[in-house]
Amino acid sequence: SNSFSTPLQFVSESHLSAEQQRISLLHGIYFGLLAMVVIFGWVSALVMRDIAYFWFGLFALLVMATVASWVGVAGLHLWPNDPVWNDAAEYVLPVLSLAPLVVFVALTVSLRARSTWAFGLFCALAVSALAAAVAAGVLGSPRRLEVSLAAIATLSLASVAGMGWSWYHGDRFARWLLLAFSPMVAALPFPVARSMEWLPLGFLTQHGMQLALAVTLPALFFLLILRSQERRDYRRRLTQLDQVDPLTG
């Protein structure tokens, strides 16, 4: 549906078989890691009673589906008899994954407590991500590629701006979230430039985003655990204020 190029190599059958086994092993490790993050996120949402974990788990699940569609695993195993959706999934799923990401960022940096209009803006951005995902699925090429790239760039910049705004207004976890998202932000221009035919096919354009996500998602989950622990300490101290002497502690 859009431009295509790939290097041509002449290899033996044994080399091809070994390469396929190596790729299958790496895919198993990679998708196992992402699936573990999804499960831990949703279990933590129930245990911690924190809705931010739910949106994080949904974001990780859609990211896993996005990567599976990029590398062909989804088309081979999840929807092998639906070529129309297989063609559209490459454009729909990346945009769709940004909807829970925007909500997750708004909840994690407590935008509602700082500014109701900023929180409302992020909710509107999440709805716009859903609309852009539908448009990417309905439109044909090359319009769906343009819609997908525009939505990814806009919502990614909005998420980074929201974290930066919260950091400026005193949220101590916002800077750590920015650090956790930095591999993803650094890797995003390579596949985008490849889609726009600005860069040739290479390791970073083909695998850079997958590697960045493998670092970002566990780091985000670790930060959520630290955030929940700190908030539990705050609530415990508030409930025990009437039992603590202000002078001696």
Side-chain angles (χ1 to χ4, degrees), residues 62-143:
L62 290 174
V63 163
M64 183 168 62
T66 299
V67 175
S69 68
W70 284 346
V71 300
V73 172
L76 183 63
H77 297 291
L78 299 182
W79 44 76
N81 299 319
D82 195 347
V84 176
W85 165 245
N86 187 54
D87 182 52
E90 181 181 356
Y91 308 96
V92 174
L93 291 175
V95 180
L96 191 61
S97 67
L98 292 173
L101 172 63
V102 170
V103 179
F104 164 73
V105 170
L107 293 174
T108 307
V109 299
S110 303
L111 274 185
R112 179 183 290 176
R114 289 181 167 80
S115 174
T116 53
W117 71 265
F119 182 77
L121 176 61
F122 267 62
C123 291
L125 288 175
V127 175
S128 68
L130 297 178
V134 172
V138 173
L139 296 174
S141 296
R143 296 301 180 192

Side-chain angles (χ1 to χ4, degrees), residues 91 95 131-133 135-136 139 142-152:
Y91 308 96
V95 180
L139 296 174
R143 296 301 180 192
R144 61 172 38 163
L145 176 62
E146 297 171 356
V147 169
S148 178
L149 292 179
I152 290 172

Side-chain angles (χ1 to χ4, degrees), residues 12 21 29 46 48 63 82 86 98 103 116 123 195-196 198 201-202 209 218 230:
S12 65
Q21 294 178 24
I29 296 172
L46 296 175
M48 305 289 187
V63 163
D82 195 347
N86 187 54
L98 292 173
V103 179
T116 53
C123 291
S195 300
M196 299 181 69
W198 292 349
L201 184 68
M209 182 56 71
E230 184 179 272

Side-chain angles (χ1 to χ4, degrees), residues 42-58:
W42 282 347
V43 170
S44 299
L46 296 175
V47 174
M48 305 289 187
R49 297 180 181 179
D50 190 346
I51 194 64
Y53 283 98
F54 168 77
W55 292 107
F56 169 74
L58 183 58

